[in-house]
Amino acid sequence: MKIKSFAALLAVSLTFVTGAHGADRVKVGLITTLSGPNAAIGSDIRDAFQLAVKLNGGKLGGLPAEVIVGDDQFKPDVGRQLAEKNLKVDKVNFLTGIVFSNIMLASVPLAFENKTIYVSPNAAPSPMAGKDCNPYLFVASWPNDAYHEAAGQHATNRGYKNTYLIAPNYQAGKDSLTGFKRYYKGNVVAEVYTQLGQLDYAAELAQVRAAKPDALYIFLPGGMGVNFIKQFVAAGLSKDIPLLVPGFGDDQDIIRPVGDATLGLFDTAHWAIDLDNAANRKFVAAFEKEFKRLPTVYASQAYDSALLIDAAVRDTKGKIEDVEAVRKAMKAAKFESVRGAFKFNRNQMPIQNYYLRVVSKDSQGRLYNKVLGTVFKDHGDAYVQDCKMK
Amino acid sequence: MSWILIAEQSLNGLQFGLMLFLLAAGLTLVFGIMDMINLAHGSLYMLGAFLASTFVQLTGSFTAGVLLAIPATAVLGMILEIFLLRTLYQRDHMAQVLATFSLILIINELTRLVWGSDAALPMPGSLSGPVELMPGLPYPAYRLVIIAVGLAVALLLFVLVTRTRVGMLVRAGASNREMALAMGVNIKLLFTLVFGAGAALCAVAGAMLAPLLAVQVGMGENILILAFVVIVIGGIGSIRGALVGALLVGMVDTIGRAFLPILFGLFFQPRVASAAGPAIASVSIYLLMAVVLYFKPQGLFPARG
Amino acid sequence: MKKNIFILAILALFPLAMLWSDQLFYVSFASRVMIYAIAATSLNLVLGYGGMISFGHAAFVGTGAYVAGILVAEGATSAWIAWPAGVAAAAAMAVSGLFALAIGAMSLRTRGVYFIMITLAFAQMMFYLVNSMKAYGGDEGLSLRQRPSLVFDLTNEVAFYYVVLFLLLLSIFLLYRLMGSRFGRVVIAIRENEARAEAVGFPVYRYKLACFVIAGAAAGLAGALLASHGKYVNPNVLHWVQSGTLMIMVILGGVGHLWGGVLGAAVLLGLEHLISDYPIGWLAQLAPNYQQHANLGVGLVMLAIVLFAPHGIAGLLERRKHASP
């Protein structure tokens, strides 16, 4: 009894202590995965976002920026709690950072209800491109299906007759294989969904061997991909079966732990380290200097998210309480993206090019993804017609 | 369904089962002899993996790193036993459950403080390729090593427990503690040694599995439940039961994961089949446990008469 | 008596104070604490009074949560406006109670560690089952479009707070009467010495099962409230580690004490919130990031309680009350 009343009294007195928030700062809640096998992804997102703010003199759009970082621990309910705290207690102006679709789907509706803008540096589930599109969602990365559509197109171009598909069993996994099949004209031998977070693929690899496909397409981001590729090579399958992945399947976060086994892997993505434009050259150089490692696509997306917020705040001349004005400014997206030209579709997801990349060694002997060619130009997504926004 | 597939999946099940056995063996002995439920057993497995990661980095050699981690974890386990767990022997099971549960929290956080949330333990380069067991069946060399180590340890345990004096004392303690005490066995020392041995076994499993899976805080909790299921199926206090139980569980899990989705795929959409397959496979282990307990409430090979 | 009125007044006026100062988050937080208090109290019945170590209690909380969630999800798609809260709560309690009956009937035939393992196993089975229900979100969880309404709308945090407060006080009152009755005394006797109770002639199995079912139903109510509160339910609610968290609350507060669940929930959740949201300067200097290691403190405190103060906070308070002249 005593403790309850104490807690009540404490809470009451705290109301006099907490100050009101002012429009003299921009507050950004950054919720991302900073622990577990996928921590490398969240770290890249956090680091790149904070780098953008730093290069901007600690400001976004001319106002001092406060970035509140939280770790969702790869758990949807933790992400949701963090979102609630950011929105209700910290009263952030923007929310961003989430890596995985399942955590996003659990957390981001809270932002929408609160009329707070969420800028996605990564996940963008297909329902949100179509019937569930939302005016408070701005995607700085790509629609979930995009990389997979490009990969499917590439597989068709290469003439693979039978392809085996593997993805984890959650919204993004389902999107990935749906996207691949949309542009792949060959025969799908099998479509296998594994447990999200699964680390041991011995059973699945044995099945792949028995099926003898022309190619294997996998969507296994983060730690899942690291383990799969290592085990794939260890099982002797890399000699017989070409492995095709989406851009995040063999980016730096996977190249670092797996090593030379990734050489020669083909993938598709909207960005690469060697894309030749001023913003990208500046970004890559600054990232490498600050963090002593090469950036991933995730980092490029987070950097662009910060630039997008910067442009929106700047174009509303700092009047960020007027959320409608911020939305309009953001939709115009007047900023220099590291991917080149940036344009939003009606559903506030990007329309952009997608490239074929291959893991190669650069002049210093480091592994990186090199652009080989363009698979799609000015590619949107297949769901926009279901979106009711103008 | 080729025989190659069956052979490969059987080897996978065997590999998984043998690692489970290493964990279950320690757990069943501690429970059987000291009548103590130790939920922190999974934490010892985790510590073994983290220590191995550090030692491998320090010595630059995989073998040396793993070999060093084993006694290190054993020592940590024995310190834990002497200074903390001893007070729990007299307490009831509830107190043991709660105390060792809080130990899980404490050890998890201390590990996070010392190492961070994860550590890296790369597979030794020489073992990261396949071995052609027979034409058409290349099998990862590393998994073969795991199987070999698992079998070797099982053999070693068998010899220790059935052919040595210490082993005899352990068996006596497991089947009738009061009598062993009455016969003048130095129970305190025996308990500490048994606990240390259990910790060493956990370290072997943790270090060997680390390059295959991931070394991360919290990795002990998932495997802990499986270990408990194994010892309940096998019979508390019996190493033979732990081996049989572990192999059963390993096989059921692997075969379930591999073939249930195919079976379900014949009737349902791929996404449903792939959700149901692993789910039913995990559940099947508990069903197996329930069935065994129904017919043999003390497990398959109870140590107590 | 004066003390109790004072406390009741604080509890009753608290949300109005928060409303006035635009800090509704704390009203929501207090509701959450009270919901966990109901869940912990239900576990206290089984664990503290009944002496049954059930690691599967989270499964009943989770079942109640999912029943409420599914009802809202289904109700919202029909022509009806969302189901009234009463129906949702009653359904949650009924379903959880039924599961408790089934699981209890099978588990209570075993003893000791086998009982613990079987309850754990059943909880895990429910967890995997719910995880595989993709129609209801699976791993992503299930969002409730709105809170089921009572006669009035429960979207209002203050209204919801009073409803939860009422239910909590009702639960405590019922527990008090239950334990004071003949039933309660037999349950305690069984906990103290099962063999003797059996020898005297009590149908031990039936009493334990009744206890288990009542606790399961109450847990289901807490689950339904939890789902309504956060407008979200996720399979992690059923995970065995959640059972552990509930156990921590009961131990912390005091096993077998009337207010044990309430005290434990309040202290654990309160401390958790304080540590994560209000950094202590000097501690941050010593160990930056200490806030992310709050569990270390929780583990140490719990260990200390098990070893030195097995009757938790309630026990300590009682000792002080009796010790003072």
Side-chain angles (χ1 to χ4, degrees):
Chain A
M1 270 75 61
K2 290 212 177 108
I3 290 160
K4 256 187 121 177
S5 51
F6 168 72
L9 279 168
L10 184 64
V12 170
S13 49
L14 278 168
T15 63
F16 299 109
V17 169
T18 339
H21 71 106
D24 51 348
R25 293 184 290 168
V26 180
K27 277 177 141 186
V28 180
L30 193 142
I31 300 173
T32 192
T33 307
L34 293 169
S35 52
N38 304 307
I41 303 179
S43 304
D44 256 29
I45 288 185
R46 176 200 56 199
D47 290 345
F49 193 93
Q50 287 177 331
L51 177 68
V53 174
K54 180 173 165 194
L55 290 178
N56 228 17
K59 299 199 177 127
L60 283 173
L63 290 179
E66 185 186 333
V67 182
I68 303 169
V69 179
D71 177 8
D72 61 34
Q73 300 171 37
F74 195 35
K75 293 189 182 127
D77 43 348
V78 175
R80 191 186 161 92
Q81 271 173 40
L82 285 171
E84 202 176 359
K85 175 176 159 302
N86 281 157
L87 293 166
K88 300 281 166 61
V89 180
D90 303 314
K91 302 210 170 53
V92 298
N93 309 106
F94 298 94
L95 199 58
T96 185
I98 300 180
V99 177
F100 291 94
S101 296
N102 57 340
I103 303 176
M104 183 187 170
L105 286 170
S107 318
V108 158
L110 290 176
F112 299 158
E113 272 169 27
N114 207 45
K115 296 203 180 5
T116 303
I117 292 176
Y118 178 75
V119 180
S120 176
N122 202 50
S126 52
M128 290 191 165
K131 59 178 175 62
D132 290 339
C133 65
N134 192 295
Y136 297 98
L137 173 68
F138 287 89
V139 173
S141 48
W142 22 251
N144 264 10
D145 291 11
Y147 282 16
H148 314 288
E149 289 175 342
Q153 182 64 49
H154 170 71
T156 305
N157 296 347
R158 280 292 235 119
Y160 293 133
K161 292 210 183 44
N162 298 299
T163 309
Y164 197 103
L165 308 177
I166 301 181
N169 200 0
Y170 74 133
Q171 185 66 45
K174 178 172 184 285
D175 288 347
S176 72
L177 299 187
T178 307
F180 185 90
K181 288 187 294 184
R182 192 173 289 132
Y183 284 84
Y184 175 62
K185 302 290 176 276
N187 173 42
V188 170
V189 170
E191 205 177 317
V192 174
Y193 292 94
T194 55
Q195 288 273 66
L196 190 61
Q198 180 176 325
L199 294 169
D200 190 346
Y201 293 96
E204 287 78 10
L205 286 167
Q207 303 295 116
V208 171
R209 190 200 307 284
K212 298 200 206 329
D214 291 334
L216 171 63
Y217 179 72
I218 64 167
F219 166 55
L220 290 171
M224 297 181 270
V226 171
N227 280 41
F228 185 90
I229 296 180
K230 285 203 281 191
Q231 291 164 23
F232 178 76
V233 173
L237 287 165
S238 54
K239 290 196 299 254
D240 308 312
I241 303 176
L243 181 61
L244 183 61
V245 296
F248 18 68
D250 61 357
D251 209 325
Q252 293 295 324
D253 62 309
I254 296 190
I255 287 177
R256 274 191 293 267
V258 178
D260 283 347
T262 55
L263 252 172
L265 269 181
F266 286 97
D267 65 81
T268 50
H270 78 292
W271 171 89
I273 289 179
D274 58 346
L275 270 187
D276 197 15
N277 63 69
N280 197 31
R281 283 194 295 269
K282 174 178 170 192
F283 163 61
V284 175
F287 193 90
E288 225 196 302
K289 181 157 168 242
E290 177 90 9
F291 302 110
K292 314 276 185 293
R293 65 178 193 268
L294 289 172
T296 55
V297 275
Y298 307 109
S300 78
Q301 290 151 199
Y303 188 82
D304 271 349
S305 302
L307 294 184
L308 183 62
I309 296 178
D310 172 64
V313 175
R314 179 196 68 211
D315 290 344
T316 52
K317 312 225 189 326
K319 285 206 176 38
I320 50 182
E321 314 83 56
D322 185 355
V323 184
E324 271 315 298
V326 177
R327 277 200 54 243
K328 271 187 68 183
M330 201 168 256
K331 196 148 184 169
K334 291 202 175 60
F335 73 104
E336 303 288 318
S337 163
V338 297
R339 73 196 74 183
F342 189 96
K343 192 169 65 170
F344 274 127
N345 200 341
R346 197 158 58 81
N347 54 16
Q348 290 167 190
M349 299 211 175
I351 294 178
Q352 59 202 353
N353 297 348
Y354 294 91
Y355 309 102
L356 178 68
R357 314 185 310 177
V358 68
V359 179
S360 331
K361 284 210 172 155
D362 67 3
S363 51
Q364 295 165 40
R366 293 180 305 184
L367 293 164
Y368 81 110
N369 281 283
K370 190 169 86 160
V371 175
L372 275 188
T374 309
V375 181
F376 286 136
K377 258 180 103 57
D378 292 328
H379 184 81
D381 62 79
Y383 305 93
V384 64
Q385 65 267 18
D386 298 328
C387 175
K388 301 239 179 353
M389 288 199 305
K390 303 258 193 322
Chain B
M1 189 100 7
S2 69
W3 66 267
I4 290 184
L5 180 60
I6 297 179
E8 190 168 357
Q9 298 293 30
S10 305
L11 282 171
N12 291 335
L14 180 64
Q15 178 240 300
F16 181 42
L18 282 171
M19 286 298 106
L20 263 184
F21 164 65
L22 292 182
L23 268 133
L27 195 61
T28 202
L29 280 180
V30 164
F31 202 152
I33 300 176
M34 287 102 99
D35 193 26
M36 185 171 87
I37 302 181
N38 178 20
L39 291 181
H41 201 73
S43 304
L44 291 169
Y45 161 81
M46 174 183 77
L47 281 173
F50 272 96
L51 284 169
S53 152
T54 304
F55 286 131
V56 166
Q57 274 169 19
L58 283 175
T59 63
S61 147
F62 180 76
T63 322
V66 171
L67 284 176
L68 280 172
I70 299 174
T73 314
V75 164
L76 276 178
M78 289 195 274
I79 293 178
L80 198 62
E81 195 269 346
I82 295 176
F83 288 107
L84 181 59
L85 296 173
R86 263 197 200 160
T87 52
L88 292 173
Y89 294 147
Q90 284 89 292
R91 303 285 299 271
D92 55 84
H93 281 169
M94 169 137 73
Q96 294 171 353
V97 163
L98 295 167
T100 51
F101 183 79
S102 29
L103 261 186
I104 295 181
L105 296 177
I106 297 173
I107 296 181
N108 273 351
E109 289 308 321
L110 286 177
T111 305
R112 203 170 276 154
L113 277 169
V114 172
W115 280 280
S117 307
D118 358 74
L121 184 50
M123 206 179 290
S126 51
L127 292 173
S128 55
V131 165
E132 191 99 13
L133 285 181
M134 43 191 87
L137 182 58
Y139 194 71
Y142 190 72
R143 291 187 195 263
L144 283 175
V145 170
I146 291 184
I147 292 178
V149 168
L151 286 173
V153 171
L155 194 63
L156 182 68
L157 265 179
F158 176 69
V159 165
L160 261 175
V161 166
T162 54
R163 304 281 147 147
T164 65
R165 197 176 142 77
V166 170
M168 183 193 69
L169 292 174
V170 164
R171 273 183 296 142
S175 64
N176 196 327
R177 192 179 329 113
E178 287 81 10
M179 190 57 92
L181 251 172
M183 304 293 256
V185 177
N186 184 348
I187 279 296
K188 273 200 186 155
L189 182 61
L190 185 66
F191 283 7
T192 308
L193 285 177
V194 167
F195 201 83
L201 289 170
C202 284
V204 176
M208 293 305 296
L209 281 176
L212 218 50
L213 307 176
V215 181
Q216 53 188 120
V217 170
M219 63 195 274
E221 276 84 283
N222 301 325
I223 211 161
L224 177 73
I225 305 194
L226 288 179
F228 266 105
V229 169
V230 166
I231 69 174
V232 165
I233 291 179
I236 296 179
S238 158
I239 296 189
R240 188 176 9 153
L243 183 60
V244 172
L247 290 175
L248 265 174
V249 169
M251 283 298 181
V252 167
D253 179 76
T254 303
I255 292 175
R257 265 202 302 144
F259 297 116
L260 275 173
I262 299 180
L263 190 64
F264 275 66
L266 295 173
F267 302 106
F268 303 110
Q269 263 199 331
R271 198 167 174 230
V272 174
S274 281
I280 305 280
S282 329
V283 167
S284 65
I285 296 173
Y286 299 114
L287 288 174
L288 174 69
M289 177 177 84
V291 166
V292 168
L293 280 184
Y294 184 75
F295 289 108
K296 303 203 97 198
Q298 306 270 48
L300 292 172
F301 302 99
R304 319 252 171 94
Chain C
M1 201 56 216
K2 253 189 10 187
K3 186 177 77 168
N4 287 341
I5 294 186
F6 176 65
I7 291 171
L8 235 70
I10 293 254
L11 289 174
L13 294 174
F14 165 73
L16 299 173
M18 293 295 112
L19 191 62
W20 170 70
S21 57
D22 193 32
Q23 292 286 348
L24 273 180
F25 173 76
Y26 289 108
V27 176
S28 169
F29 178 73
S31 300
R32 189 158 160 262
V33 171
M34 290 196 293
I35 294 173
Y36 272 101
I38 298 178
T41 303
S42 72
L43 179 62
N44 200 1
L45 175 60
V46 154
L47 184 73
Y49 289 102
M52 298 175 258
I53 312 176
S54 166
F55 248 108
H57 209 68
F60 303 126
V61 177
T63 303
Y66 266 94
V67 167
I70 292 175
L71 279 177
V72 171
E74 295 302 326
T77 60
S78 76
W80 294 51
I81 312 169
W83 293 62
V87 174
M93 290 180 73
V95 176
S96 296
L98 270 165
F99 276 140
L101 181 63
I103 293 177
M106 286 187 270
S107 317
L108 283 166
R109 297 202 182 277
T110 62
R111 295 280 162 77
V113 70
Y114 299 104
F115 176 74
I116 302 177
M117 283 309 302
I118 292 242
T119 54
L120 183 66
F122 278 119
Q124 284 299 90
M125 281 198 242
M126 305 260 349
F127 172 75
Y128 285 117
L129 180 72
V130 164
N131 224 323
S132 64
M133 290 195 310
K134 290 301 163 183
Y136 295 116
D139 176 64
E140 283 141 27
L142 181 64
S143 279
L144 281 71
R145 221 165 281 259
Q146 56 199 99
R147 288 187 186 155
S149 57
L150 220 41
V151 176
F152 42 88
D153 188 12
L154 284 175
T155 314
N156 185 320
E157 289 293 353
V158 177
F160 192 73
Y161 171 92
Y162 284 120
V163 170
V164 177
L165 178 62
F166 170 71
L167 286 171
L168 174 63
L169 292 175
L170 185 65
S171 311
I172 299 284
F173 178 68
L174 286 175
L175 180 65
Y176 174 68
R177 292 304 296 263
L178 189 68
M179 284 299 121
S181 73
R182 183 167 176 275
F183 175 83
R185 285 198 292 270
V186 174
V187 166
I188 294 179
I190 293 176
R191 180 193 76 198
E192 295 298 310
N193 192 327
E194 192 165 321
R196 188 173 2 151
E198 192 140 28
V200 170
F202 286 116
V204 165
Y205 173 75
R206 269 193 243 160
Y207 272 91
K208 280 168 118 179
L209 185 59
C211 200
F212 202 75
V213 172
I214 296 173
L221 174 66
L225 287 171
L226 197 60
S228 305
H229 177 255
K231 298 212 305 232
Y232 174 73
V233 61
N234 167 282
N236 281 339
V237 183
L238 293 130
H239 202 253
W240 72 274
V241 174
Q242 283 293 93
S243 293
T245 306
L246 286 174
M247 275 193 195
I248 296 180
M249 290 181 185
V250 175
I251 302 306
L252 195 59
V255 270
H257 290 253
L258 189 63
W259 292 95
V262 177
L263 284 171
V267 171
L268 188 66
L269 290 175
L271 274 177
E272 197 180 75
H273 179 73
L274 282 174
I275 293 179
S276 62
D277 282 20
Y278 298 101
I280 304 174
W282 58 267
L283 196 51
Q285 296 279 49
L286 209 57
N289 277 344
Y290 80 93
Q291 292 170 308
Q292 289 172 2
H293 301 286
N295 267 340
L296 181 60
V298 171
L300 285 168
V301 167
M302 211 178 74
L303 189 61
I305 290 192
V306 172
L307 292 176
F308 306 121
H311 287 269
I313 294 179
L316 290 173
L317 287 176
E318 230 157 82
R319 251 190 272 167
R320 254 187 45 191
K321 198 179 2 168
H322 290 168
S324 45

